[in-house]
Amino acid sequence: MKKLIAIILLGLVIAPACMAWWLFPENTSADAQAIDALSLRKKAYDAAQQGRPAESAVNFRSYLAARPADAQATFDYAVLLASLGRHDEAVPLLESLHRMNPAREAAYFKLGVEYVLLQRDADAEKVFTELQSSGNRDVALAAAEAASRLKADQARAAKYKAESEVYALAREFKHEEVVAAVDALEKQWPLGFEMEMQRLYAMQNLQKYAPALLRADELAGRYPKATDLALLRADLLMQLGRKDEAVAIWQRVLSENPGTSAAITANNRLEEVHKQDAAVAVATAPIEPVKVSAEEIIYNLAGKQKYKEVVAAIDELEKQRGTLSWDMELQRLYSLQSLGQTDRAIQVGEKMAQSRPQSVEVAFLRADLLVSAHRWEDSSVILKKIKDENKDTAAATEAKRRLTALPGMCNVDKQQWGEMYLSGDYHERYDTVIGSGFIREGTSVPHARRLQPYVGAQLSVDTKSGAGVQQTIVADNSVSFVGGVRAQPFPTQYLFLYAEAGINKDLLDRRNNGDWAWDWQAGIYGFKSWGPGVKFKDYASTNAPVDAEDVKCPFSYSPMWRGDWFADVGADFSWYQRHDSWLGYGQAHEGFRLVQFGPKMALDAYAVENVAWDVRGNYFDNLFEIGPGARLIWEPRRGWQVVLKAEWIEGYYFGRDDLNIRGGAAGSYDDFRVSLSVGASW
């Protein structure tokens, strides 16, 4: 009986539910979506409370995609993003929240704080100014305090900028400008001790000793313990002929600051005065020859850049003494480098490295000398050792920079290499887009780095060609996966002999019934460029971005007109097993770099020449083309290049056509081409 009652009750519960699901399936789906959204909301808050902010952010984003009107969740998500340092993502959320609910002052205040963190001071000031009129006293007070702090930060930044400009003028020895700048700074803010001293040093260099001393005496009343000010006052007194007062100041600095650099300077000044007094006392006495050390003579020669005499003097000193001081060894090495006596400098550097193997200075000098001798791989061994043994130091950073500048083949720190090229070209005469590209990833054989095995893929397609009777061949329309090896004869030149083999598929089903088939090819390819128009120039400060927040956009820079010439040539001549023929292709450009936009974008105008040659016969791939063109080149990052170009081509088929292989086609043609290509190397 109990079982029967339980079954009846269960049926009374399940039957209505099934009926509701059958009658109202859409509502049931909506309810399920609502439950899913609420589940995401709960997961977001739970993850945040349990210290998993990244997971919480993912759930918040998914939840708000379904429930964008949830103001509280939007606010909490924005606060979470801000805590993760993702302020640029938090700001749009808070802005949207303010537009939906302007009365939500806590969210608006948080928006002002985010503006400050993103250095959008004008927007932040607007927010805090509006909130100061809030009816909530606490909000108004907080906004007033934030606005005041923002203004103080702006003033502090402006003062720091003005002081930095003073230091920059001082480094350029523009003493009159320094005085004027400090005077202008004094009208806006109270001067700090450093600015006061900077003005005094400038006045001293301008030989305005009397007014400088007046200012220095007034400043000494406020900074009686400042030793650098005391030393400056003494120097000014000496310039004005008040030696006794200057001596008294030096003696006081010496007695009150024993063992400090100020005391050493004061002692040196006193010794100079004593020497001057002694010189006056013995002015009528016979003059004895002054003894000058060999080191002083050598340093004097080096100061006059008489490096040949320096090397000779140090060699003679070594014969006399048997050994040299480390400073003399370094001076000889620097002098040999300056003279271009690279072979001897390398020998001297190796000997010095044996005596002091931990000397980073000598290691860098040896690396530079080896580069001068075109021993790039030996140089990279030294630089790699510096990088590995001095981790997280300025020396390691510099060694890494120099390694990157070496030819890739010679950089022993570079175990892998790769290159990629992808191009889309529109040809007006075919009314088609031709796509082609390749990618290679390889390494260098240890102790034989000229040999570089690799794997890669190649692709060639066009939008015109089709299979069967509608076949219209414009490109090869094939894809290949290969493995190969290439040899680089010259370390600094992009010139390679190669051989590769793999599988190839004819996308038009012309070869091997369209099946994957064994294929190989071998040949030579290379590229070379010349002229000042090849490289980008460093941007002068006058060409800084118009908007500092948009520094990544090349067009935010004012144009730099160039007019520098360039020329380049690239070629490939290879045997293709699938074509059973040698095919050659060459291209050359001669032109000018007209204008540069930012550090890494430029516009070129040029003449282009193309030549293609099939040694087996006179087909459509035996041609010569010439015409004008223009290209926009952009290097978004190191090793990457994007090129957009347009060319007008006049083409000519060459070779005999006795067998009517070209089907009676005209011997010349016109074509307009537009292409976009992306290349990369690593």
Side-chain angles (χ1 to χ4, degrees):
M1 179 60 70
K2 290 182 179 179
K3 291 183 178 180
L4 179 59
I5 293 172
I7 292 171
I8 293 171
L9 290 174
L10 184 61
L12 291 174
V13 172
I14 294 175
C18 292
M19 184 66 71
W21 176 81
W22 182 71
L23 291 174
F24 308 105
E26 297 179 357
N27 293 340
T28 304
S29 176
D31 292 341
Q33 292 177 2
I35 291 171
D36 290 343
L38 291 175
S39 176
L40 287 171
R41 192 179 195 272
K42 184 177 183 304
K43 288 180 181 179
Y45 283 106
D46 288 346
Q49 292 174 358
Q50 294 169 11
R52 304 194 306 274
E55 179 183 338
S56 176
V58 172
N59 287 316
F60 265 125
R61 183 172 65 249
S62 299
Y63 168 70
L64 289 172
R67 295 290 187 272
D70 190 334
Q72 184 61 46
T74 300
F75 177 71
D76 293 337
Y77 180 35
V79 172
L80 178 65
L81 289 174
S83 70
L84 291 171
R86 295 158 61 180
H87 305 289
D88 54 340
E89 297 179 53
V91 163
L93 291 171
L94 293 169
E95 289 175 339
S96 174
L97 195 58
H98 179 65
R99 287 192 297 269
M100 290 189 298
N101 188 1
R104 197 180 183 96
E105 294 180 330
Y108 198 35
F109 185 87
K110 180 62 177 174
L111 177 59
V113 173
E114 293 303 302
Y115 281 150
V116 172
L117 294 173
L118 291 175
Q119 298 182 353
R120 293 171 57 177
D121 292 346
D123 293 331
E125 185 176 1
K126 177 178 179 293
V127 171
F128 295 141
T129 300
E130 291 179 2
L131 287 176
Q132 288 181 59
S133 59
S134 170
N136 187 321
R137 183 173 178 273
D138 291 338
V139 171
L141 289 174
E145 182 182 352
S148 176
R149 192 181 307 114
L150 177 61
K151 290 181 180 179
D153 291 343
Q154 291 173 334
R156 187 160 44 252
K159 183 179 179 182
Y160 175 78
K161 180 181 179 182
E163 291 178 348
S164 299
E165 291 174 354
V166 171
Y167 289 127
L169 291 170
R171 286 192 295 270
E172 296 175 5
F173 306 105
K174 296 180 178 181
H175 305 302
E176 291 185 359
E177 289 86 342
V178 168
V179 174
V182 176
D183 289 345
L185 191 62
E186 190 175 26
K187 295 177 182 178
Q188 302 179 56
W189 299 284
L191 290 181
F193 178 74
E194 293 79 6
M195 286 293 101
E196 292 276 14
M197 290 298 297
Q198 203 64 59
R199 178 166 58 184
L200 289 174
Y201 287 133
M203 294 177 70
Q204 181 187 30
N205 284 301
L206 292 171
Q207 300 183 6
K208 297 181 179 180
Y209 305 123
L213 182 60
L214 289 174
R215 285 188 179 275
D217 289 342
E218 188 273 332
L219 196 60
R222 288 185 281 154
Y223 302 97
K225 298 296 184 180
T227 55
D228 47 354
L229 176 59
L231 294 172
L232 177 59
R233 289 176 62 224
D235 289 342
L236 292 171
L237 287 167
M238 280 295 293
Q239 295 291 344
L240 294 171
R242 295 158 64 177
K243 184 179 70 172
D244 293 341
E245 296 175 69
V247 169
I249 292 176
W250 286 325
Q251 290 174 340
R252 186 175 71 252
V253 171
L254 182 61
S255 62
E256 293 178 356
N257 303 274
T260 65
S261 60
I264 295 173
T265 302
N267 185 62
N268 292 338
R269 295 285 199 278
L270 288 169
E271 289 182 356
E272 290 175 8
V273 171
H274 294 156
K275 289 179 182 178
Q276 292 173 3
D277 292 343
V280 172
V282 298
T284 57
I287 300 176
E288 297 182 359
V290 179
K291 294 183 179 180
V292 181
S293 68
E295 285 81 357
E296 289 177 318
I297 294 173
I298 289 170
Y299 285 132
N300 184 48
L301 290 171
K304 296 177 180 178
Q305 299 183 358
K306 296 182 177 181
Y307 300 117
K308 187 175 182 180
E309 291 83 350
V310 168
V311 173
I314 295 176
D315 289 345
E316 182 62 30
L317 187 63
E318 187 175 30
K319 292 178 183 178
Q320 296 175 6
R321 298 182 180 179
T323 59
L324 293 172
S325 68
W326 184 252
D327 289 340
M328 286 293 100
E329 291 275 16
L330 280 174
Q331 187 61 63
R332 178 165 61 183
L333 185 57
Y334 280 123
S335 298
L336 287 169
Q337 183 185 35
S338 299
L339 287 170
Q341 296 183 15
T342 305
D343 292 340
R344 188 187 172 191
I346 290 173
Q347 295 175 358
V348 171
E350 289 175 350
K351 181 180 177 182
M352 293 173 67
Q354 292 173 1
S355 63
R356 292 197 185 183
Q358 300 304 319
S359 175
V360 175
E361 182 179 10
V362 171
F364 274 124
L365 279 169
R366 291 179 62 213
D368 289 344
L369 290 166
L370 290 168
V371 168
S372 299
H374 294 177
R375 293 169 57 183
W376 297 286
E377 188 167 344
D378 293 336
S379 177
S380 74
V381 172
I382 295 175
L383 292 171
K384 185 178 186 301
K385 184 178 179 182
I386 296 173
K387 181 177 76 71
D388 294 342
E389 294 181 354
N390 299 271
K391 295 184 181 299
D392 301 323
T393 65
T397 302
E398 176 61 19
K400 184 177 180 181
R401 185 191 68 79
R402 297 192 188 193
L403 280 167
T404 305
L406 292 175
M409 187 193 83
C410 303
N411 182 0
V412 298
D413 194 46
K414 184 177 182 180
Q415 301 301 321
Q416 291 182 304
W417 60 268
E419 57 187 10
M420 177 274 290
Y421 179 81
L422 187 63
S423 174
D425 301 75
Y426 173 74
H427 289 229
E428 183 185 41
R429 71 186 181 116
Y430 295 129
D431 190 24
T432 186
V433 175
I434 301 174
S436 61
F438 67 83
I439 184 169
R440 301 185 186 107
E441 180 75 24
T443 186
S444 297
V445 177
H447 309 298
R449 295 180 63 86
R450 294 180 189 274
L451 295 178
Q452 301 163 12
Y454 62 88
V455 294
Q458 302 164 6
L459 174 69
S460 174
V461 295
D462 69 80
T463 60
K464 195 81 170 181
S465 298
V469 297
Q470 295 181 348
Q471 189 176 95
T472 304
I473 309 301
V474 178
D476 187 38
N477 285 276
S478 67
V479 59
S480 301
F481 295 96
V482 301
V485 62
R486 67 184 190 181
Q488 187 174 5
F490 309 107
T492 60
Q493 302 298 328
Y494 189 84
L495 179 66
F496 298 93
L497 300 168
Y498 80 101
E500 62 186 34
I503 56 175
N504 174 270
K505 179 177 177 59
D506 187 339
L507 301 177
L508 298 179
D509 299 339
R510 297 164 301 174
R511 298 184 297 268
N512 302 296
N513 298 318
D515 296 330
W516 290 98
W518 171 258
D519 186 41
W520 66 272
Q521 64 189 65
I524 183 172
Y525 64 89
F527 178 83
K528 178 70 174 177
S529 59
W530 301 267
V534 171
K535 296 183 178 180
F536 291 99
K537 283 188 176 180
D538 293 335
Y539 240 59
S541 58
T542 53
N543 286 326
V546 176
D547 183 358
E549 295 183 359
D550 196 24
V551 294
K552 293 184 179 180
C553 176
F555 295 109
S556 65
Y557 293 77
S558 56
M560 179 194 295
W561 300 103
R562 294 281 302 271
D564 297 320
W565 70 272
F566 70 87
D568 61 59
V569 61
D572 182 300
F573 188 65
S574 302
W575 166 267
Y576 295 84
Q577 186 267 341
R578 63 181 179 272
H579 299 304
D580 192 27
S581 179
W582 287 91
L583 302 179
Y585 179 76
Q587 184 177 75
H589 300 92
E590 308 85 27
F592 295 90
R593 178 144 292 179
L594 301 179
V595 62
Q596 183 172 327
F597 305 98
K600 295 295 180 180
M601 178 179 279
L603 177 65
D604 297 343
Y606 56 86
V608 60
E609 302 87 33
N610 301 317
V611 61
W613 180 35
D614 182 344
V615 301
R616 288 192 60 197
N618 301 312
Y619 301 100
F620 289 101
D621 53 359
N622 287 266
L623 57 86
F624 175 77
E625 298 176 336
I626 187 171
R631 64 189 180 191
L632 190 65
I633 298 179
W634 179 37
E635 294 183 0
R637 58 182 301 174
R638 182 180 179 87
W640 285 77
Q641 187 177 83
V642 181
V643 180
L644 175 64
K645 64 182 179 181
E647 298 173 347
W648 178 266
I649 296 297
E650 182 74 20
Y652 305 90
Y653 295 116
F654 61 81
R656 302 183 310 275
D657 193 19
D658 299 338
L659 300 179
N660 197 29
I661 295 175
R662 292 196 291 265
S668 64
Y669 56 88
D670 295 331
D671 196 10
F672 176 70
R673 299 171 185 172
V674 178
S675 71
L676 176 64
S677 63
V678 179
S681 60
W682 55 91

